[in-house]
């Protein structure tokens, strides 16, 4: 849905400065980013498994026929998860970080009218982000796309181009479009 974290004014400024320094790339290597930002809990010698990523990593490793025990997931998170040389990409529907779906820092620090509040921001940005995600999926043709967060389910369906999900015997929402399987989950 969106990047979590502290999302304080100083954190956001540091993120923008780093993004600018790296040439304003669409995607970044998250391990390199974490080290630049001084975030070591997910990438240190014995990193903690990040709660959201843990489930995504488990799905990825299982789909690849690999073990998905804690040590294997920890190693993958530390060395390959969301890296430029890795096999995974994580793109958020909403590009600005926020600690949760109710917090909104940007109205206090920006004069941009669409950042006044979360509702205005979402109305302004969601359509173009859906179009961008659809474009990226069409261009790169990933084997699988996993959406997480049921409160954004209508947006996920628009990315896929469907009105409703198929349901597996196990109760998992999915769709297949142009050889990509799309899965929507709570995670």
């Amino acid at each position: 849905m969106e990047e979590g974290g502290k999302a304080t004014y100083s954190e956001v400024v540091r993120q923008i400065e780093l993004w600018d320094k790296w040439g304003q790339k669409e995607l970044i290597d998250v391990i390199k980013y974490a080290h630049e930002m001084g975030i070591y809990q997910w990438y240190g010698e014995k990193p903690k498994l990040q709660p959201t990523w843990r489930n995504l990593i488990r799905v990825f490793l299982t789909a690849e026929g690999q073990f998905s025990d804690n040590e294997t997931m920890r190693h993958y998170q530390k060395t390959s998860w969301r890296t430029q040389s890795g096999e995974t990409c994580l793109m958020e529907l909403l590009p600005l970080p926020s600690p949760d779906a109710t917090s909104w820092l940007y109205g206090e620090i920006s004069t941009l009218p669409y950042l006044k509040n979360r509702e205005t921001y979402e109305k302004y940005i969601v359509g173009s982000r859906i179009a961008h995600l659809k474009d990226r999926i069409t261009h790169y043709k990933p084997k699988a796309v996993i959406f997480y967060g049921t409160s954004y389910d209508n947006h996920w369906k628009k990315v896929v181009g469907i009105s409703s999900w198929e349901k597996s015997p196990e109760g998992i929402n999915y769709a297949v479009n142009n050889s990509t399987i799309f899965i929507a989950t709570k995670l």
Side-chain angles (χ1 to χ4, degrees):
M1 300 174 305
E2 66 194 355
E3 180 183 341
K6 297 175 189 169
T8 63
Y9 176 74
S10 61
E11 286 270 320
V12 172
V13 167
R14 286 181 64 211
Q15 288 177 321
I16 291 170
E17 289 171 348
L18 188 56
W19 176 66
D20 193 45
K21 174 182 160 185
W22 287 348
Q24 301 180 5
K25 294 179 181 178
E26 178 179 10
L27 300 174
I28 61 168
D29 185 305
V30 76
I31 294 174
K32 183 178 173 185
Y33 165 80
H35 288 289
E36 284 276 340
M37 293 291 287
I39 302 168
Y40 300 106
Q41 64 191 12
W42 316 123
Y43 302 102
E45 187 59 36
K46 186 161 181 166
K48 294 180 185 177
L49 283 169
Q50 201 279 349
T52 302
W53 300 346
R54 163 194 196 116
N55 294 319
L56 295 169
I57 292 168
R58 181 182 308 277
V59 169
F60 173 76
L61 291 174
T62 301
E64 292 293 307
Q66 298 180 38
F67 290 111
S68 59
D69 60 280
N70 285 346
E71 287 310 309
T72 304
M73 290 190 299
R74 188 174 282 117
H75 176 75
Y76 189 81
Q77 176 182 292
K78 178 181 172 180
T79 61
S80 302
W81 178 244
R82 296 174 56 194
T83 62
Q84 288 179 324
S85 61
E87 310 92 344
T88 59
C89 171
L90 188 82
M91 295 181 73
E92 287 88 4
L93 175 66
L94 303 172
L96 294 176
S98 186
D100 56 60
T102 59
S103 300
W104 193 248
L105 161 74
Y106 304 98
E108 300 168 17
I109 64 172
S110 175
T111 58
L112 295 171
Y114 64 89
L115 294 181
K116 177 181 175 182
N117 57 50
R118 180 179 276 277
E119 183 181 354
T120 304
Y121 162 67
E122 286 189 22
K123 283 180 183 175
Y124 179 84
I125 201 78
V126 164
S128 62
R129 290 295 293 173
I130 287 171
H132 183 72
L133 293 172
K134 286 175 83 166
D135 177 65
R136 290 307 187 204
I137 291 165
T138 300
H139 183 273
Y140 289 101
K141 300 174 180 41
K143 292 179 191 175
V145 173
I146 299 174
F147 301 111
Y148 58 96
T150 55
S151 61
Y152 289 93
D153 191 62
N154 287 329
H155 300 317
W156 305 148
K157 287 187 249 184
K158 287 177 185 173
V159 171
V160 180
I162 59 171
S163 58
S164 62
W165 296 104
E166 299 288 331
K167 202 170 271 293
S168 76
E170 297 80 14
I172 297 170
N173 290 335
Y174 76 95
V176 178
N177 191 347
N178 296 327
S179 75
T180 297
I181 185 163
F182 297 87
I183 299 168
T185 181
K186 291 179 187 178
L187 278 183

